[in-house]
Amino acid sequence: MISVCELLRMVDLEIMASQVTTASTINSLPLLPYYRSASLILVGNLKSLSAALKSSSRMESDSPIEINENSYQVHDFIWHSSSQRSVSSIQSIQSKTSRGHSVKEVSYGELGSKGVRHGSMGAESEAFSASYKEINDDDARLIYINDPEKTNEKFEFAGNSIRTGKYSILTFFPRNLFEQFHRVAYIYFLVIAILNQLPQLAVFGRGASIMPLAFVLLVTAIKDAYEDYRRHRSDKIENGRLAWVLVNEQFRQIRWKDIRVGEIIKVSLNETLPCDMVLLSTSDTTGVAYVQTTNLDGESNLKTRYAKQETQMKNLEDKKISGLIKCEKPNRNIYGFQANMDIDGKHISLGPSNIILRGCELKNTDWAIGVAVYAGRETKAMLNNSGAPSKRSRLETHMNREIIFLSIFLVVLCMIVSVCHGLWLGRHKDELELMQFYRKKDYSETEIEDYSYFGVGMEIFIVFLMSVIVFQIMIPISLYISMELVRVGQAFFMIRDNQMYDEASKSRFQCRALNINEDLGQIKYVFSDKTGTLTENKMEFQCASIGGVDHSRGEDSIEDERTGYPDQGDGHVLQPKMKVKVDQELLNLSKRKHTDEGKYVHDFFIALAACNTIVPLTVETSDPAVKWIDYQGESPDEQALVYAAAAYGFMLIERTSGHIVIDIQGKRQKFNVLGLHEFDSDRKRMSVILGCPDKTVKVFIKGADTSMFSIIDRSLNLNMLKATEAHLHAYSSKGLRTLVVGMRELSSSEFEQWQSSYETASTALMGRASLLRKVANNIEHHLSILGASGIEDKLQQGVPEAIESLRTAGIKVWVLTGDKQETAISIGYSSKLLTNQMTQIVINNNSTECCRKSLQDALAMCKNLTTDSDATSGGSGTGGNQLALIIDGTSLVYVLDTELEQQLFELARRCTVVLCCRVAPLQKAGIVALMKKRTDDMTLAIGDGANDVSMIQMADVGIGISGQEGRQAVMASDFAMGQFRFLVPLLLVHGHWNYQRMSYMILYNFYRNAVFVLVLFWYVLFTSFTLTTAITDWSSVLYSVLYTSVPTIVVGILDKHLSRTSLLKYPQLYGAGQRQESYNGKLFWATMLDTLWQSIAAFFIPLLAYWRSDVDGSSIGDLWTLGAVIMVNVHLAMDVTRWYWITHAAIWGSIIATFICVMVIDLLSFLAGYWAFFHIAKTELFWLCLLGITIGALVPRFVVKVFVERLRPNDIQIVREAEKFRSSRESQIEMNQIFDPSRR
Amino acid sequence: MSSGDGSSYSSSKISKKPRYSRFTQQELPACKPILTPGLVITILISLAIIFIPIGLSSLSASQNVVEVVDRYDDVCVPLKPSNSVEQNDERIGFIQDVKTNKTCIRTFIVPKKMKHPIFVYYQLDNFYQNHRRYVKSRSDHQLWSPKDERNTKLCEPEAVNSDNKPIVPCGLIAWSLFNDTYSFSINNTPLTINKKGIAWTSDRTKKFGPNVYPKNFQTGGLIGGAKLNESIPLSEQEDLIVWMRTAALPSFRKLYGKIETDLEANEKITVVIQNNYNTYSFNGRKKLVISTATWIGGKNDFLGKMYITVGATSLFLAVIFLLLYVIKPRPLGDPTYLSWNRNPTFQY
């Protein structure tokens, strides 16, 4: 680092004269505006957020009021337009202004319910007008610097100890129970258990009736307790970490948990921040601190934070510092902070760039001192510590419908029983008194009265309740638990799938939402982001058009050997970290500075090197003589440009407050950064005003072509302009991302005028952002064009193949991108999304009427096409008449949320491919919502950036790509993975399996519970409807939790009807899920019919076999229990398609376990059924009954299964057969493995 | 977040490649059964092969059982059978009157030779021994241990007598103990009926205590059935033990005793019945059953018929399936049968 004095000396005195008088005024920190690319103009994304963080107070004037809400408001816009929590809407903006600092959180749910206009782009500009407001005292938190006692007088601020654990040992049971009973199913359980405790209703023994609930609660509690234990353990470690805190004017080490708000904390290099603190000073003289926010948002690049100059200058250890910080109440917005600081009589305003958050790591800075403002659970990191949003799977929604049927069925059964009981009582009214088995009267008392008889009406009611208790498992509550377990198991396999492991980013597949695994098997629409999702988001500088000359890399391009222009300044050779291929011709040209062409090239590369927000860092290498320059920046485009500039000999070496150093062809030159207009989505460009070494002042601008061509002076060099335009078109047709670079030299009067208005604007209290924008617009005009750059964003590996597979699988892939139409189309071609056979419909309008017309035309055309093809080729959809719809964001504004939506939907449904370009984040969500609202088809959104968050949350399944752009998308997603192509194994293989497994499991669980209930019901008909059960209480309780539960879970996790190879070979098989083949109403009713038959077989075979014999209730009860359990398990065994040893163990083990349990129950002499099993098992009749039940019950199912498979085989069945009998190579190998004993 | 966030696994925690194992890759060796025509026919035919012989043999076993059933409740009252309410009340009055002579003599001819052991049952119809009020009304603790004499909570309304002394054995089941008696004779020679060993050994040794003696039994206002000899412990009262193992169904038999000698065909058996038990109050029927037993149990054709039906059905299905296979063969795993190959216009 160059010292501040040196720095000052280099500042051009002529310009900065008024400001260099005191050192304290130098706070002209580098403005690091965000500029991502021309093509993502409408997209406020995460990078902009961080850029906003970086941009600090720009100029320090004499005025003590320093205002930096400029950046804050830029942030606001971005926050509202792109962040997941504040999905931008006018409502949210309004509430923002009305509530001052508080962050309005618009949740996903609100988005859906309030009918937010997705098409609205007005919201963005509204955000800019959100004016700066002083923080109300009511809403503020007052922090007295270095005076924690006074700060926290009312004990209202949290200490720094964190507790992510939900429970303590004392509160565990009440709280955990309370939380568990939030589920309706558990309430049902509880009500039944309570009913059973009433003496009149006690059907089951006390213990037996509580057991299912207790079991479920216990399992969940153990799971929760274990998770909580892990959290407690990590909390303890976290709380016990040490930090340096200023105590009695001396820094002492105290534990994190003892840090209080208001205390002054010192953090050293590579240490983690213990709490959110406002920076007071850093080891850097200019007050810069670099932090890494990997823990917070996953971004690994360094971010800059600044200490205020007023506090930076203080020596904190010697002089007791005091002051007051007034800041907003704790909130979740990690990219926003608003505060004022009163220190030494000065009123300073603080922004997001002055605060470092808990969890960040200090980098490249020896130490930083700050005052704790939020501690413990009130830190932004902790407030953001919430899980993924929960969605409910389609299958589960359908399942709930069937559960309602089952409930009705349950009520009907209970009504039958109670009404029959009433009739029976009525018929035997006169006999009840003497009936030996009823004995209505109690004679033991002197006064003879009714014993336990409350009249027919009451008896009916009691019997009704009792029958609910007996038949309770008709509602398969264990199913919910089983489903959770199965999903955990499925997630285990998905996470551990080697084929979904990304070597490049070393990231495994992540399941963030555990309840929509099976939705992956039913996807019909995939909405994909382009940049970073289809492409790698690793930008590579490909070509440039400089001064109207195209410098596309030809065949003669050479690899830059990094010998380019080494810097020998301090004995080291500096090399850029990344290699860039250079064009030899251009390289030569860049060295000829004095030709006209050379001049353009020179300025062009200066613009690339200077007009950005990149921070160069030197990195040691293994070779002591060589140091690498690593360009840290948020935008891959800018990185690519700077690396390119470096390769051509314009190496950005240093960026500090107020100046940058560029090594030009081996010669270091210093440029003063006089001003910087950040990127914003209105202007779609950024500009930097440089004081050049030759004492000229130049403004360099780079931006999107649309915005740049409007401000370029067309009178200057029309031919060059035309040539550049042509080149730009060529570049974007090749799929390159383009940027236009322009420049203008400022006259001194012009500069002074700009400077004064810039100062006024940046110190304005109201509407500063718009003022600054106006200032920028005033200076950004009459540019002379320097050229344009083309950056390639490479397609990710395997993307075309993946898209091909998805399309064969019947999934429609839509690409929603912020890129230009040409770029989008060319990427469409290269990713095989678009083919030459397709008819393209382009909608590109800017009024409602135009949109209406083009939509109508398009619809008419596509109807024509389909009817034509129907007439000619019998509607061969795979033929040449596929349609591709290309629509841009501007048109969508007029379409979404209007009556045209329906037309768009009609049109889009007919198209094989839809490309939406230039769409804003909210429009992405709007498009997803469009399809979701109007079809029942499942939607999946995949993206990697913050701009995809709203779309990811809107879709039924959201997938985040953990790539270059931070973790916002991942945090909002349900699943996260490293590459787009993993979508294929995820959907076609795991999704397919999960769907099929889960569907089968749900149907099977309905069956297994209903069959048992029906067996109980049939018996009730033989007990004068009094709900005696021959099956013991314990068996009826254990039936659903032990006797039959394990196999279904195992099969739900492990069974797969097709191998991975086949599923990938025939993507069409995915259609089974889309058509809901494995779970639908028809299958449900068929299953129920089967259930009815099986229950009849299981009940009546023993009944008739033991009719009029001396069999006792317990013995035949055991027979019924075992018969039902064996039948149910063999039923499952019949449907298992793959027998692993685990499956064998589970199914046969369950049957054996049932036998053991029945024996154990019959060994308890205090139960009625003592020894019954051993008694009845001695007879042959018992075993014949068991065999008879199993076969008799299952023969119909077997026959139907066989005939369906034979006569109307579905695709899955055929491929299964092919897998086994058509000896393909893969299956051969598989077979060999199976029969190779050494590998078992 | 810097602290452990249990809800989500950050990628930094598990950044390494998942270790390969056949389990995690779901590639465990597996058997993949497919219902090929051959397999299906084999299964169906083997079902037939198993089921038909078993069915035939159990049917023949059931046919070999010799069973004599004699309903006596309606003939052993002096009144002619009629359904009028008054007559029924008279019957009830007859059966409730302790003083009347309820002896009733029945004779029947042995239809076939009956080999010993011959089981003598009484059969009650329409008697809900599985009624909820009834099955609960007992105290297993009291039956087993003299200490638990007062453990009669479940026995209401037959828990204590009017002096508030506990009834042993308490409860409706014991109270309603069957009390008809039968004495058999052939040609005026008495036929001994062995009433020992009719109850389950397990019940005698573990449920009914050897030290528990009947107390205050059948002393209440309403007599439900038999009285018990108070000097014999419960474990020896086998009729009670048999009775207290409640039947599964409203129509049931209970073992009365065993005849240990063979009975020849056409022998005339005379039974002297003490018709004490009141089934008239609920339209119950009483039957005396004498039956031999085979491996299949008593006389019951159902199981045999069911097995034969299942076997025959399987055979029939096997034939149908064979025909189907011959008439309409479909090669297994032929990709031309896949829906998208079969029907090229098929669109997703």
Side-chain angles (χ1 to χ4, degrees), chain A residues 481-537:
Chain A
I481 316 286
S482 314
M483 280 170 80
E484 265 178 42
L485 291 174
V486 164
R487 282 170 181 152
V488 169
Q490 293 175 343
F492 172 88
F493 285 120
M494 287 196 277
I495 289 167
R496 273 168 186 72
D497 189 348
N498 277 342
Q499 299 203 8
M500 293 201 291
Y501 171 75
D502 185 22
E503 294 281 358
S505 61
K506 293 203 176 11
S507 58
R508 286 186 191 188
F509 181 79
Q510 288 178 58
C511 279
R512 295 177 45 80
L514 263 183
N515 42 3
I516 54 168
N517 287 352
E518 57 274 13
D519 277 354
L520 292 172
Q522 293 185 284
I523 302 296
K524 187 88 198 211
Y525 290 96
V526 166
F527 298 92
S528 171
D529 176 38
K530 188 183 80 67
T531 312
T533 306
L534 295 179
T535 62
E536 285 190 27
N537 203 15

Side-chain angles (χ1 to χ4, degrees), chain A residues 556-621:
Chain A
D556 59 337
S557 64
I558 53 157
E559 184 93 352
D560 174 26
E561 289 302 324
R562 281 216 194 107
T563 48
Y565 295 95
D567 166 80
Q568 278 96 7
D570 41 5
H572 295 291
V573 179
L574 279 177
Q575 286 178 350
K577 197 177 167 190
M578 298 241 298
K579 292 181 188 178
V580 180
K581 286 180 179 173
V582 293
D583 179 34
Q584 194 60 49
E585 198 186 327
L586 185 58
L587 191 62
N588 296 336
L589 206 57
S590 68
K591 289 173 184 163
R592 272 175 274 146
K593 198 181 168 181
H594 301 291
T595 63
D596 241 15
E597 274 186 329
K599 214 165 142 45
Y600 275 126
V601 172
H602 183 260
D603 284 343
F604 180 78
F605 282 120
I606 294 242
L608 293 194
C611 190
N612 54 49
T613 61
I614 296 292
V615 182
L617 291 176
T618 41
V619 185
E620 302 278 341
T621 58

Side-chain angles (χ1 to χ4, degrees), chain B residues 56-71:
Chain B
L56 288 173
S57 62
S58 54
L59 197 58
S60 79
S62 163
Q63 298 288 350
N64 285 335
V65 170
V66 187
E67 186 186 71
V68 182
V69 181
D70 183 47
R71 178 176 173 189

Side-chain angles (χ1 to χ4, degrees), chain B residues 67 122 138 148 161 173-174 205 219 240-241 255 283 298 304:
Chain B
E67 186 186 71
Y122 52 91
R138 63 189 286 164
D148 288 326
N161 67 2
I173 310 181
T205 54
T219 54
L240 176 74
I241 298 173
L255 193 55
N283 282 325

Side-chain angles (χ1 to χ4, degrees), chain B residues 93-138:
Chain B
F94 167 82
I95 205 92
Q96 281 182 330
D97 191 344
V98 228
K99 290 171 206 133
T100 51
N101 178 15
K102 301 194 187 78
T103 314
C104 173
I105 297 165
R106 304 282 300 159
T107 53
F108 51 85
I109 312 279
V110 177
K112 263 160 92 182
K113 181 182 161 69
M114 295 171 89
K115 284 209 176 120
H116 78 276
I118 301 161
F119 296 94
V120 179
Y121 299 99
Y122 52 91
Q123 180 180 328
L124 291 176
D125 290 345
N126 209 14
F127 188 103
Y128 286 89
Q129 249 206 334
N130 56 14
H131 196 283
R132 170 158 290 278
R133 283 169 84 99
Y134 189 79
V135 273
K136 282 198 309 183
S137 190
R138 63 189 286 164

Side-chain angles (χ1 to χ4, degrees), chain B residues 109-295:
Chain B
I109 312 279
V110 177
K112 263 160 92 182
K113 181 182 161 69
M114 295 171 89
K115 284 209 176 120
H116 78 276
I118 301 161
F119 296 94
V120 179
Y121 299 99
Y122 52 91
Q123 180 180 328
L124 291 176
D125 290 345
N126 209 14
F127 188 103
Y128 286 89
Q129 249 206 334
N130 56 14
H131 196 283
R132 170 158 290 278
R133 283 169 84 99
Y134 189 79
V135 273
K136 282 198 309 183
S137 190
R138 63 189 286 164
S139 167
D140 282 321
H141 293 280
Q142 191 204 47
L143 294 174
W144 175 243
S145 159
K147 281 185 300 191
D148 288 326
E149 196 176 86
R150 297 209 73 96
N151 190 343
T152 57
K153 210 173 71 202
L154 294 169
C155 292
E156 295 287 348
E158 277 295 319
V160 287
N161 67 2
S162 42
D163 304 332
N164 205 22
K165 294 256 178 62
I167 299 170
V168 183
C170 71
L172 286 183
I173 310 181
W175 170 77
S176 62
L177 177 59
F178 188 74
N179 60 352
D180 285 6
T181 57
Y182 315 113
S183 49
F184 288 78
S185 54
I186 304 169
N187 305 326
N188 296 327
T189 334
L191 190 65
T192 42
I193 295 175
N194 184 4
K195 288 184 69 75
K196 286 281 167 221
I198 54 174
W200 294 7
T201 326
S202 58
D203 280 352
R204 269 188 331 208
T205 54
K206 282 279 153 50
K207 279 188 92 81
F208 291 80
N211 306 318
V212 184
Y213 293 89
K215 266 183 218 164
N216 309 317
F217 190 66
Q218 299 287 27
T219 54
L222 189 69
I223 307 298
K227 300 200 171 174
L228 293 173
N229 185 341
E230 300 205 348
S231 59
I232 302 172
L234 289 187
S235 59
E236 306 290 320
Q237 309 260 17
E238 292 206 33
D239 279 327
L240 176 74
I241 298 173
V242 168
W243 180 254
M244 287 196 72
R245 187 148 278 284
T246 51
L249 298 166
S251 206
F252 60 90
R253 289 174 183 181
K254 293 262 174 211
L255 193 55
Y256 180 80
K258 285 180 265 186
I259 299 171
E260 306 280 11
T261 51
D262 293 354
L263 295 179
E264 298 302 324
N266 299 321
E267 272 185 321
K268 189 178 166 194
I269 296 178
T270 313
V271 190
V272 180
I273 298 168
Q274 292 297 323
N275 182 21
N276 297 322
Y277 200 68
N278 179 10
T279 54
Y280 305 99
S281 58
F282 56 91
N283 282 325
R285 283 184 293 275
K286 292 192 281 191
K287 287 173 189 163
L288 174 63
V289 180
I290 302 168
S291 169
T292 56
T294 57
W295 60 272

